[in-house]
Amino acid sequence: MNKSILFIFLFIQTMMTAQLTERSLSSEKWQFKNTKEQDWMSAKIPGTVHLDLMDNKVIPDPFKDENEKKVQWIENEDWEYKTIFKVSAKELKNDHVDLIFNGLDTFSEIYLNGKLLKKTDNMFRKWNVPVKEFLKQGDNELKIKFKSAVKEGKELAQKVPFTMPESPRSFMRKAQYQFGWDWGPRLVTAGIWKDIQLESWNFAKIETVKYHQNFSNEVLDFNFEIEINAQEAGNYNLNINQLNKTVLLKKGMNTIRLPYDMSGFKLWQPNGWGDANLHDFKIELLKNKTALDQKNIKVGLRTVELVQEKDAAGKSFYFKVNGKPLYAKGTNWIPADSFSPRITKEKYRKLIKDMKEANMNMVRVWGGGIYEDDEFYKACDENGILVWQDFMFAGSFYPADEAFLNNVREEVKDQVNRLQNHPSIALWCGNNEVDEAIVNWGYQKQFKYSKDDSIQVWKDYKKLFHDVIPNALQENLTQEKNIYWPSSPSIGWGHKESLTEGDSHYWGVWWGEQPFEIYNEKVGRFMSEYGFQGMPSLVAVKSMFSGIPDLNLQNPTIKAHEKHGRGWEIINEYIKRDYQLPSDFVQYNYISQLLQARGMRIAVEAHRRAKPYNMGTLYWQLNDCWPVVSWSSIDYLGNWKALQYQMKRSFEQQVILTDEKDGNLNFYAINDGIKNFTDVNLEIKALNFDGKVLKEAKASSKEKALESILKFDPIEIKNVITESEKNKIFLQLTLKDKEGKIIAVNNHFFAKPKDLQLTKPNIKIKIITPNEIEISTDELAKDVYLIGDIHFSDNFFDLLPHTSKRIKLSKPMKNIEVISLWNTLQN
């Protein structure tokens, strides 16, 4: 054949197969074993060794009974995974064939057909390995050996001349919560926790797509930044929706920046301000009209600024979104399972939707977990939930040798390139409580550090969190480059400056065992962590057992699912302060949830009343990683605890709040929405518990407009109620606009729950439809609790005398048991 004709033929053949192709190896038949053993067992990818051992009936479910203790041996073993996958002649004709490992946990050796390709040491990195020269047509064996992370960490720890706290977890780039926390079990995993792909390509491929957006005088300057790996120089075409451009690429890495007219595109708005508008773009790379590669992304147009300005009290700390100050309302997120590969897309979406339904607009991804799956961030994008993203460092000291720092640089690069296009990302934070651990927790004294040791710890900290991470972030980030916060909190809760600047973790309640009312005094500029424990739903408690559950507080299984050393003692002490301590398990479960909700309500209301001094409140924590007694508002099974229902009420865009001080009752109308109200009126009714109106009044204000916060003139409590009536009377507050439309309602009680002289309410439930009920009462029914293995649209609520309330059910339920606070006061 003529050489010219042959060249043309081969070129055409290559162009016909030039499109980049990917296929997952997760669907292949995988096996695993302990390296000490001979027999292989079936495995699932993505997964973990614990899940595979459970599937093969080697170990019991660690979430049940006291089984966590029985599986601790796993972390000290080495494990091996393998599969056989076929490669076709067509695939081998591609210029490039790569294996892409999206997540290997953690210390591994990768072998292909007996050849060692790569050693890995970071759970959070993506490993791209060219493999064409090692592949063969037909069967290929991929084997991955995982070394014990605990043993590897201990070896690394020996290289440091002093003892590091939380060793060995701080020496490895691995999810820190796996080593146990005061809400989670110790389950140190290994395995292929994310997908493996075989990728084939020719000529060039798109490595990353980023975008720049800059608003100046309300004019948007928008550019796409596309990084292309070209193995052949020449002219290529880039198509971005309707935009078509020819670009000249050199061999190697190329960065192309293309402006795009975004006129008429709607802004992305946080929850409560409008729609979270997202716009679809397809970026195609072509050569000679043949598609080589494409990426699909969603763009959310918005601006986010972190405003820190000196003022008379200290320094502000708030987010300005699309040019307007945002009051941040939300929570902290931990991994939704101790075995993260089994967190489904549906679970992510439900939990984020639950946040939206509870009027939240921000979530903090805590630094002791994982950089969450793409589905988490997509759900946040779609629901208008801003993300405070910690890097994965928490509550320890970390080394700063060159190998560790280089590993972190690559980790930051991988994660920032993966996540930065999400409009939900509002802030990148270096770590959780590492600064505080160095300054406040006394490790240096505990481990008898020398002066030089202490200096070295601080140098290492500064190197990692004030140099390496922010520089790597800057190099890879195209969006708001200035939004990096080295450590949360910026100042520990024992220091007065923690309440005048930066973000604050306040743990005087729970850890300090201060009364809930201290929240009224301890208000910072941005409260990014605070909380209190409560039991999970009865259904979640029962799920702790492998057999018939024995619902008894002394049951070893229930005790094992409280990971805080003094948890039960602290809960009981706080119960006795505000409630009667029940002996009945169901009532105890109910009261512990009410207690948790009460504490967080006091905190949130104190924060919101302090607006604009305080501009954010994120309680600890939204979710659980297993069935447990914890600080969560939604338990492991997805059931709303009393706290979640209370946060939905406390986070309403418009609320009317009260506080008692110096014999006065003060009133605050809060508006976090973008609509202002004028000529608002506050109506006050004093009622007894059978519904009789004893007094009526209206509160006045010198201001007419409710834009952000409006304070009404206080009233003297003694003019409303006598001391002897405080446990028999409550106030019903109604905030209305100038047309008489209700803006917000609230009830104010003058006595603690245990002191209220409640009478027995006659609570009736009427079935309206299979999925809706109506509940009514003749007397005040305080803290109504609807019991059932379903989701109620509202629960743990006050039902006023001679009123009714419609409740939607997630599924039909014929016999709904109901109790109220009155039931617990009869002991």
Side-chain angles (χ1 to χ4, degrees), residues 580 587 756 758-761 820-827:
Q580 289 190 15
Q587 289 191 10
L756 296 175
L758 298 171
T759 51
K760 183 179 180 179
S820 69
L821 187 64
W822 178 86
N823 297 85
T824 71
L825 301 177
Q826 306 313 303
N827 295 332

Side-chain angles (χ1 to χ4, degrees), residues 8 22 26 29 33 56 131 183 299 303 314 343 353 366 479 486 496 525 536 631 665 686 716 790:
I8 293 169
E22 288 180 344
S26 297
K29 182 180 177 181
K33 70 178 181 71
N56 285 275
V131 293
W183 38 258
V299 171
T303 61
I343 307 173
K353 189 177 179 183
W366 171 73
Q479 303 300 328
K496 63 179 182 179
R525 309 310 293 263
W631 291 265
L665 185 61
E716 287 192 77
I790 63 172

Side-chain angles (χ1 to χ4, degrees), residues 54 59-73 185-187 541-550 552-563 568 626-627:
M54 274 190 277
I59 63 169
D61 186 343
F63 285 12
K64 295 188 180 296
D65 307 320
E66 297 180 80
N67 292 341
E68 177 195 354
K69 300 174 185 176
K70 299 177 181 178
V71 300
Q72 294 306 303
W73 60 273
R186 183 181 176 103
L187 295 167
V541 173
K542 292 174 183 177
S543 76
M544 300 173 183
F545 296 82
S546 57
I548 298 173
D550 174 17
N552 185 317
L553 288 173
Q554 301 308 314
N555 187 289
T557 290
I558 292 177
K559 283 187 172 182
H561 287 74
E562 161 61 273
K563 303 301 288 185
W568 295 113
W626 74 317

Side-chain angles (χ1 to χ4, degrees), residues 689-784:
F689 293 164
D690 66 5
K692 182 179 179 181
V693 178
L694 305 176
K695 289 183 182 179
E696 292 187 68
K698 287 190 177 181
S700 59
S701 173
K702 297 180 180 66
E703 302 171 42
K704 289 211 166 197
L706 173 54
E707 297 177 0
S708 178
I709 181 167
L710 180 62
K711 298 178 183 178
F712 291 90
D713 293 338
I715 62 174
E716 287 192 77
I717 296 174
K718 67 181 181 181
N719 293 334
V720 179
I721 189 171
T722 65
E723 193 67 29
S724 63
E725 293 176 317
K726 285 188 174 182
N727 56 5
K728 304 171 187 175
I729 293 174
F730 70 100
L731 298 186
Q732 182 184 31
L733 311 173
T734 307
L735 185 68
K736 295 182 178 180
D737 65 14
K738 60 182 178 181
E739 294 162 354
K741 184 179 178 181
I742 295 176
I743 301 172
V745 296
N746 199 0
N747 302 315
H748 180 87
F749 290 86
F750 293 94
K752 290 192 172 186
K754 69 178 181 180
D755 297 323
L756 296 175
Q757 290 191 6
L758 298 171
T759 51
K760 183 179 180 179
N762 181 24
I763 301 174
K764 295 181 179 180
I765 294 178
K766 178 182 177 182
I767 297 176
I768 305 300
T769 70
N771 290 89
E772 186 175 21
I773 61 172
E774 183 177 79
I775 183 168
S776 61
T777 182
D778 57 345
E779 299 278 341
L780 171 68
K782 186 101 178 72
D783 299 317
V784 172

Side-chain angles (χ1 to χ4, degrees), residues 96 201-207 227-236 247-255 285 287 292:
H96 304 276
W201 59 285
N202 297 284
F203 297 106
K205 70 170 181 173
I206 300 170
E207 294 288 354
E227 191 177 52
I228 300 172
N229 182 355
Q231 292 305 301
E232 183 175 306
N235 286 325
Y236 292 77
V247 293
L248 177 63
L249 302 181
K250 68 179 188 298
K251 185 175 181 179
M253 298 303 296
N254 299 259
T255 300
L285 177 66
K287 187 172 180 62
L292 300 180

Side-chain angles (χ1 to χ4, degrees), residues 93-280:
K93 287 179 181 177
N94 287 282
D95 292 338
H96 304 276
V97 184
D98 302 332
L99 274 173
I100 300 175
F101 302 87
N102 290 289
L104 298 175
D105 179 14
T106 291
F107 296 93
S108 79
E109 295 176 348
I110 303 169
Y111 294 85
L112 180 61
N113 295 325
K115 172 72 175 178
L116 175 62
L117 298 181
K118 189 83 174 174
K119 293 184 178 182
T120 78
D121 58 356
N122 191 323
M123 177 180 177
F124 306 124
R125 284 179 59 183
K126 178 179 178 180
W127 308 91
N128 191 327
V129 186
V131 293
K132 181 178 178 180
E133 64 179 300
F134 307 112
L135 291 171
K136 57 187 179 181
Q137 186 175 339
D139 289 345
N140 291 264
E141 183 186 62
L142 178 62
K143 184 178 289 186
I144 306 175
K145 297 179 179 180
F146 292 94
K147 294 183 179 180
S148 162
V150 171
K151 290 181 179 178
E152 290 293 305
K154 287 178 179 178
E155 288 184 17
L156 292 169
Q158 290 176 359
K159 298 178 181 179
V160 177
F162 48 85
T163 302
M164 296 270 270
E166 304 298 339
S167 180
R169 72 168 169 86
S170 54
F171 287 90
M172 58 189 88
R173 297 309 303 136
K174 180 172 174 63
Q176 306 284 275
Y177 81 112
Q178 294 180 355
F179 295 84
W181 226 266
D182 51 11
W183 38 258
R186 183 181 176 103
L187 295 167
V188 184
T189 64
I192 304 167
W193 77 291
K194 289 194 173 186
D195 194 19
I196 300 175
Q197 295 161 318
L198 187 70
E199 181 181 85
S200 305
W201 59 285
N202 297 284
F203 297 106
K205 70 170 181 173
I206 300 170
E207 294 288 354
T208 62
V209 176
K210 308 174 186 178
Y211 59 87
H212 301 248
Q213 51 183 340
N214 179 40
F215 287 86
S216 179
N217 297 322
E218 298 186 359
V219 176
L220 173 61
D221 176 25
F222 187 93
N223 295 270
F224 283 101
E225 183 180 293
I226 304 158
E227 191 177 52
I228 300 172
N229 182 355
Q231 292 305 301
E232 183 175 306
N235 286 325
Y236 292 77
N237 290 95
L238 274 173
N239 294 346
I240 305 177
N241 286 10
Q242 305 305 316
L243 176 67
N244 305 301
K245 290 286 184 180
T246 299
V247 293
L248 177 63
L249 302 181
K250 68 179 188 298
K251 185 175 181 179
M253 298 303 296
N254 299 259
T255 300
I256 307 298
R257 194 162 181 169
L258 297 178
Y260 197 95
D261 183 7
M262 299 292 284
S263 302
F265 285 71
K266 294 180 179 179
L267 290 177
W268 182 94
Q269 297 284 11
N271 184 34
W273 279 13
D275 295 330
N277 294 298
L278 297 168
H279 311 288
D280 293 310

Side-chain angles (χ1 to χ4, degrees), residues 210-420:
K210 308 174 186 178
Y211 59 87
H212 301 248
Q213 51 183 340
N214 179 40
F215 287 86
S216 179
N217 297 322
E218 298 186 359
V219 176
L220 173 61
D221 176 25
F222 187 93
N223 295 270
F224 283 101
E225 183 180 293
I226 304 158
E227 191 177 52
I228 300 172
N229 182 355
Q231 292 305 301
E232 183 175 306
N235 286 325
Y236 292 77
N237 290 95
L238 274 173
N239 294 346
I240 305 177
N241 286 10
Q242 305 305 316
L243 176 67
N244 305 301
K245 290 286 184 180
T246 299
V247 293
L248 177 63
L249 302 181
K250 68 179 188 298
K251 185 175 181 179
M253 298 303 296
N254 299 259
T255 300
I256 307 298
R257 194 162 181 169
L258 297 178
Y260 197 95
D261 183 7
M262 299 292 284
S263 302
F265 285 71
K266 294 180 179 179
L267 290 177
W268 182 94
Q269 297 284 11
N271 184 34
W273 279 13
D275 295 330
N277 294 298
L278 297 168
H279 311 288
D280 293 310
F281 286 88
K282 180 168 74 172
I283 294 89
E284 291 182 291
L285 177 66
L286 303 95
K287 187 172 180 62
N288 299 324
K289 298 183 179 181
T290 299
L292 300 180
D293 194 4
Q294 77 171 51
K295 301 286 185 186
N296 297 297
I297 70 168
K298 290 182 182 289
V299 171
L301 298 176
R302 55 87 181 122
T303 61
V304 177
E305 305 167 60
L306 176 59
V307 181
Q308 297 186 84
E309 297 173 338
K310 289 185 178 180
D311 55 28
K315 188 187 289 185
S316 66
F317 189 104
Y318 68 92
F319 293 92
K320 189 181 282 187
V321 180
N322 297 332
K324 300 174 183 176
L326 176 81
Y327 190 90
K329 295 175 293 193
T331 186
N332 286 257
W333 172 280
I334 66 167
D337 202 300
S338 286
F339 306 122
S340 52
R342 69 178 177 188
I343 307 173
T344 62
K345 173 181 177 178
E346 292 72 25
K347 186 165 190 175
Y348 275 123
R349 293 193 166 273
K350 180 190 178 298
L351 286 168
I352 303 303
K353 189 177 179 183
D354 287 343
M355 278 192 253
K356 180 178 182 179
E357 188 179 333
N359 301 304
M360 300 182 196
N361 57 28
M362 181 173 279
V363 62
R364 173 175 172 251
V365 178
W366 171 73
I370 60 174
Y371 304 95
E372 292 296 338
D373 187 83
D374 290 341
E375 293 299 332
F376 171 88
Y377 301 95
K378 288 178 184 176
C380 289
D381 292 344
E382 293 166 8
N383 288 282
I385 306 296
L386 290 162
V387 176
W388 170 312
Q389 177 66 54
D390 281 3
F391 288 100
M392 294 300 116
F393 302 86
S396 185
F397 301 174
Y398 289 88
D401 59 273
E402 203 54 39
F404 188 87
L405 296 179
N406 285 334
N407 204 352
V408 171
R409 284 189 190 96
E410 294 302 315
E411 172 186 324
V412 172
K413 178 181 178 180
D414 285 353
Q415 296 301 333
V416 170
N417 283 333
R418 178 173 73 96
L419 299 177
Q420 68 169 288

Side-chain angles (χ1 to χ4, degrees), residues 370-594:
I370 60 174
Y371 304 95
E372 292 296 338
D373 187 83
D374 290 341
E375 293 299 332
F376 171 88
Y377 301 95
K378 288 178 184 176
C380 289
D381 292 344
E382 293 166 8
N383 288 282
I385 306 296
L386 290 162
V387 176
W388 170 312
Q389 177 66 54
D390 281 3
F391 288 100
M392 294 300 116
F393 302 86
S396 185
F397 301 174
Y398 289 88
D401 59 273
E402 203 54 39
F404 188 87
L405 296 179
N406 285 334
N407 204 352
V408 171
R409 284 189 190 96
E410 294 302 315
E411 172 186 324
V412 172
K413 178 181 178 180
D414 285 353
Q415 296 301 333
V416 170
N417 283 333
R418 178 173 73 96
L419 299 177
Q420 68 169 288
N421 288 333
H422 292 282
S424 54
I425 299 282
L427 177 142
W428 303 86
C429 180
N431 67 74
N432 171 80
E433 296 184 349
V434 176
D435 184 309
E436 182 165 6
I438 294 173
V439 175
N440 284 349
W441 293 358
Y443 283 133
Q444 294 89 331
K445 184 177 180 180
Q446 177 184 343
F447 295 117
K448 299 178 181 178
Y449 281 14
S450 68
K451 183 178 179 181
D452 288 343
D453 293 341
S454 297
I455 291 172
Q456 188 62 49
V457 165
W458 190 246
K459 282 183 178 179
D460 290 349
Y461 171 83
K462 298 282 280 189
K463 183 72 174 175
L464 181 57
F465 298 110
H466 289 260
D467 181 3
V468 170
I469 291 178
N471 287 340
L473 183 64
Q474 186 86 355
E475 289 170 7
N476 294 283
L477 192 65
T478 64
Q479 303 300 328
E480 295 84 352
K481 292 182 169 59
N482 62 322
I483 306 187
Y484 172 72
W485 192 240
S487 185
S488 181
S490 49
I491 303 169
W493 63 268
H495 302 269
K496 63 179 182 179
E497 293 84 3
S498 69
L499 300 178
T500 62
E501 60 184 87
D503 72 314
S504 178
H505 294 191
Y506 181 70
W507 285 104
V509 170
W510 185 266
W511 284 102
E513 298 185 49
Q514 294 291 313
F516 289 143
E517 288 73 20
I518 198 72
Y519 281 129
N520 294 316
E521 302 173 26
K522 303 296 185 180
V523 177
R525 309 310 293 263
F526 193 102
M527 306 300 292
S528 53
E529 205 182 288
Y530 58 92
F532 195 87
Q533 282 195 354
M535 292 195 75
S537 67
L538 291 170
V539 178
V541 173
K542 292 174 183 177
S543 76
M544 300 173 183
F545 296 82
S546 57
I548 298 173
D550 174 17
L551 300 184
N552 185 317
L553 288 173
Q554 301 308 314
N555 187 289
T557 290
I558 292 177
K559 283 187 172 182
H561 287 74
E562 161 61 273
K563 303 301 288 185
H564 188 282
R566 294 184 55 244
W568 295 113
E569 181 183 339
I570 294 172
I571 291 171
N572 289 342
E573 176 58 34
Y574 274 87
I575 286 178
K576 286 184 281 188
R577 294 176 189 179
D578 288 355
Y579 295 87
Q580 289 190 15
L581 185 64
S583 56
D584 174 78
F585 184 87
V586 173
Q587 289 191 10
Y588 185 95
N589 178 281
Y590 163 62
I591 289 296
S592 82
Q593 291 193 48
L594 288 184

